[in-house]
Every structure is written in C-alpha cells, then in structure tokens.
Amino acid sequence: MTARRAALVTLVTAAALLLGTAGPATAADGLTVDITSPGEGAVLDGPDVIVKGTATTSGLYRMNGVSVQVTSVTNPGTFGCDRSCDGTSGGHSATFSYGRRLDFNGPYTVTVTAYDTLPLVGGERSTAVQRRFKVEVPPAAPRDVKVEAG
C-alpha cells in the first residue's frame, strides 16, 4: 500500500508542476521575442515598414503563434496580423514577418506577441515586446511649376 501511495504522490506532484508552469510568460519562463527590424528609435525615410524577428520557447512548450500590431501614435489606426504572422509548426522557434505601407509621417509603436502552449496539458502563455520607430517621408518636389514675375 505504501508503494501505491508513493506513486500517487509522485504523479500528483508531477501534474501540479506541469500545470503550475502554465501561467503568464516572461523571458525567465523561456518564451522570448526578438524584433530584428525595425530598430528601436529607427527613422524610416520611406512609407514601407517590415516588422520581422524570431520568437522562441524552451522546455516542453511549443510555439502556438505570433501576432504583430503596428499602431500610429498620432493618427488613428492599428494594423497587423493575429497569430498568422509566422510559419509556426509547433516547434521551439518561429520567425515572423509583417509588411505594411504606412499612410502618415510620425511615431509608431510595434507590438509583437508570441504564444506557446504545453502539449497535452494546455495552458497557453504569451509574452509581448514593443518597439518604437518614426516615419519621416519628405514631401515630393514640385513638378511643372512655372513662376513669372511681372
């Protein structure tokens, strides 16, 4: 009877450890996001932005998706993709890429959120990283302008 009880205690302890790790993720938990483009504080001289990078997880967890949101700080609008910005196949790593032509000059914020899960147990976790950049497209030079004095 003691062997059964010891086995049951071991099983319950293992299940509690697995379920207990399914809380909110931080870099210490092994779920990380690395945005490689655009750089923090970058100033883009064109209207096109490509947000790209890598999300990774560790241990028994597997990647479950990556979301990218681009938000204009001074003008209305948020653009992005929800959990479909990557080629996630349930592995430990996923690369992401999202491109967009931005309509306004000014500051923008990118938020990349990575999701992972513990197979067979569940317990999805997420972690988010933000990056700020600016778009400063110079005005087009005037064409076919004639000035006459007189």
Side-chain angles (χ1 to χ4, degrees):
M1 190 77 157
T2 356
R4 276 188 178 174
R5 185 172 292 161
L8 182 60
V9 167
T10 301
L11 181 62
V12 169
T13 302
L17 284 173
L18 285 174
L19 292 173
T21 61
T26 63
D29 290 325
L31 178 58
T32 60
V33 174
D34 179 30
I35 302 173
T36 58
S37 172
E40 177 65 38
V43 178
L44 307 179
D45 60 0
D48 298 317
V49 64
I50 298 176
V51 179
K52 59 184 174 177
T54 306
T56 58
T57 190
S58 63
L60 297 174
Y61 286 89
R62 298 292 180 258
M63 291 303 304
N64 203 26
V66 177
S67 296
V68 176
Q69 284 190 320
V70 179
T71 304
S72 172
V73 176
T74 56
N75 296 291
T78 297
F79 314 100
C81 53
D82 188 30
R83 294 186 184 240
S84 60
C85 302
D86 66 332
T88 299
S89 61
H92 282 105
S93 176
T95 58
F96 58 87
S97 180
Y98 174 75
R100 172 84 185 192
R101 178 168 284 240
L102 302 173
D103 296 329
F104 302 104
N105 280 344
Y108 286 83
T109 301
V110 171
T111 304
V112 177
T113 306
Y115 304 89
D116 71 358
T117 189
L118 193 57
L120 302 176
V121 177
E124 184 174 81
R125 310 180 304 172
S126 66
T127 191
V129 172
Q130 287 192 329
R131 176 76 44 99
R132 290 166 184 77
F133 68 95
K134 286 184 180 180
V135 173
E136 291 183 2
V137 179
R143 293 189 284 175
D144 298 327
V145 176
K146 295 180 183 181
V147 177
E148 291 184 27

